[in-house]
Amino acid sequence: MLITDKLIFLEMEKTGSTHINYVLSECFPVERIGKHTRIESYVDGYKTDKFLIGSVRNPWDWYVSLWAQGCKGSGKSRLKGALYNGLTTRKLVSRSFFWNDSRDFSLTLGVFGDIWNEMFKPIDSWRETYENYESPELFRKWLKLILEERCHDIVRIWPSYIKRPLPSTFGLMTYKYCSYFLKNFPSKNIVNSIKNIDDLKVIDKRNNILDRIVKVEDLEDDLIKSLQAAGYDIDSRIINVITKNKSNKINTSSRLSTEFYYDDETVALVESKEKFIIDKYSYVRPIV
């Protein structure tokens, strides 16, 4: 989370947040509160006079970027991200088995299921999916594992996604979007009331905290408009900082075009899991 005198930027993974952070840090005095931090850690009761912005990305592109990060680093796990490390290592003692992302403590029989799953998690299969960023077959295998066949394997990284009845209806991106940008998510009362996409649309309309969002595909223009809406006068210096690295984004993953990685089956899989974001931000499925 990045805070200026006029706004708060809430960072969602793989949605241009590193580049937006760079721009804000270059243009204004800023305060950083962690990284990919939810607003509850800074504002009690979600009450703030500051302008709230976030960022979002085409879901098909988001999954490729999320996977490609784990493919980089030539064995340096620190560079591969928390998701890669959580999927390719085994840890039988973890606070995530007992606590979820809402800091709710839960000691139920489900804990033993989490530990059992961790014991037999196919870490070699997960590692194999990250071996070559130029392989669409490995990406498709990874996508099916993480959205369908082995979604429970992420319990150590994003516990509330698994501990709530979400994976059968929504994908990881929708879960992360709601976690950062919706009040009281993923509390049990809110999540248990969501049975389908129409329920989620109602919750989003009532609980979304953002004043404006930046789409990665229109990052520079959307960021300028967001800063103006927050009350900043945009001069040539700020415009230069925003646009000078347009073709050289920070923290990008080595990868090919999004269309290269998908087939009809995996396009449809993302479309079904991320329909909420696709509909809300008018994203169009890739042509494969």
Side-chain angles (χ1 to χ4, degrees):
M1 182 193 310
L2 212 65
I3 304 165
T4 74
D5 61 322
K6 296 182 184 295
L7 65 80
I8 296 175
F9 171 54
L10 300 170
E11 307 162 283
M12 178 178 166
E13 293 93 335
K14 313 311 293 181
T15 59
S17 60
T18 301
H19 185 67
I20 295 172
N21 269 313
Y22 165 78
V23 169
L24 294 178
S25 298
E26 286 289 304
C27 294
F28 313 105
V30 298
E31 176 187 4
R32 167 168 286 287
I33 307 292
K35 187 177 182 181
H36 305 306
T37 309
R38 292 208 294 258
I39 196 170
E40 301 98 300
S41 63
Y42 176 75
V43 177
D44 291 332
Y46 300 93
K47 295 179 181 178
T48 177
D49 294 330
K50 294 182 184 292
F51 198 81
L52 297 177
I53 67 171
S55 53
V56 72
R57 185 178 197 163
N58 180 307
W60 289 279
D61 197 41
W62 187 83
Y63 279 104
V64 174
S65 183
L66 190 66
W67 167 76
Q69 181 181 12
C71 296
K72 73 178 184 180
S74 185
K76 298 177 182 178
S77 59
R78 178 181 58 83
L79 301 177
K80 293 174 177 287
L83 181 61
Y84 171 88
N85 289 311
L87 293 172
T88 59
T89 60
R90 187 170 286 115
K91 187 176 181 182
L92 300 182
V93 179
S94 172
R95 70 182 300 276
S96 298
F97 299 150
F98 304 94
W99 296 83
N100 63 29
D101 300 343
S102 298
R103 302 184 181 91
D104 296 330
F105 178 76
S106 176
L107 183 58
T108 67
L109 292 177
V111 169
F112 298 104
D114 293 340
I115 295 173
W116 180 267
N117 185 83
E118 190 73 6
M119 288 175 61
F120 295 98
K121 181 171 62 179
I123 58 177
D124 289 338
S125 294
W126 281 114
R127 287 172 182 163
E128 179 187 355
T129 65
Y130 287 106
E131 285 182 353
N132 181 7
Y133 76 88
E134 295 183 331
S135 170
E137 292 78 18
L138 290 181
F139 168 74
R140 294 167 194 168
K141 178 181 178 180
W142 173 88
L143 188 67
K144 293 174 186 177
L145 285 173
I146 206 163
L147 286 181
E148 293 185 315
E149 300 164 17
R150 299 291 310 184
C151 61
H152 200 91
D153 289 347
I154 68 169
V155 68
R156 272 175 39 208
I157 310 102
W158 296 327
S160 288
Y161 178 66
I162 299 303
K163 294 178 186 293
R164 303 286 187 246
L166 293 171
S168 62
T169 308
F170 303 109
L172 285 172
M173 189 179 185
T174 294
Y175 162 70
K176 296 304 292 182
Y177 177 95
C178 294
S179 295
Y180 290 122
F181 306 145
L182 268 59
K183 289 188 291 186
N184 302 318
F185 193 98
S187 68
K188 184 180 297 185
N189 290 339
I190 293 292
V191 175
N192 288 351
S193 69
I194 301 173
K195 307 300 182 185
N196 52 53
I197 189 172
D198 291 329
D199 291 340
L200 180 54
K201 287 179 178 179
V202 172
I203 296 294
D204 175 63
K205 188 174 182 179
R206 186 167 67 227
N207 286 16
N208 198 304
I209 64 176
L210 294 180
D211 294 303
R212 198 172 184 98
I213 199 155
V214 175
K215 295 177 69 172
V216 167
E217 298 76 19
D218 303 305
L219 191 149
E220 289 76 20
D221 289 342
D222 280 356
L223 185 54
I224 289 172
K225 292 175 182 176
S226 295
L227 292 175
Q228 290 173 328
Y232 284 110
D233 293 325
I234 305 301
D235 57 23
S236 58
R237 180 186 68 87
I238 293 176
I239 291 177
N240 182 57
V241 171
I242 292 173
T243 59
K244 71 178 180 180
N245 290 312
K246 185 173 183 178
S247 60
N248 185 30
K249 296 295 190 298
I250 303 167
N251 195 32
T252 57
S253 302
S254 298
R255 45 168 293 190
L256 304 177
S257 67
T258 296
E259 295 81 2
F260 174 78
Y261 293 99
Y262 284 92
D263 58 10
D264 289 336
E265 181 185 9
T266 47
V267 165
L269 176 59
V270 171
E271 188 170 38
S272 67
K273 295 288 187 177
E274 307 298 347
K275 183 171 174 54
F276 167 74
I277 290 177
I278 292 166
D279 287 354
K280 179 165 185 169
Y281 294 106
S282 303
Y283 282 116
V284 178
R285 59 160 37 213
I287 298 174
V288 297

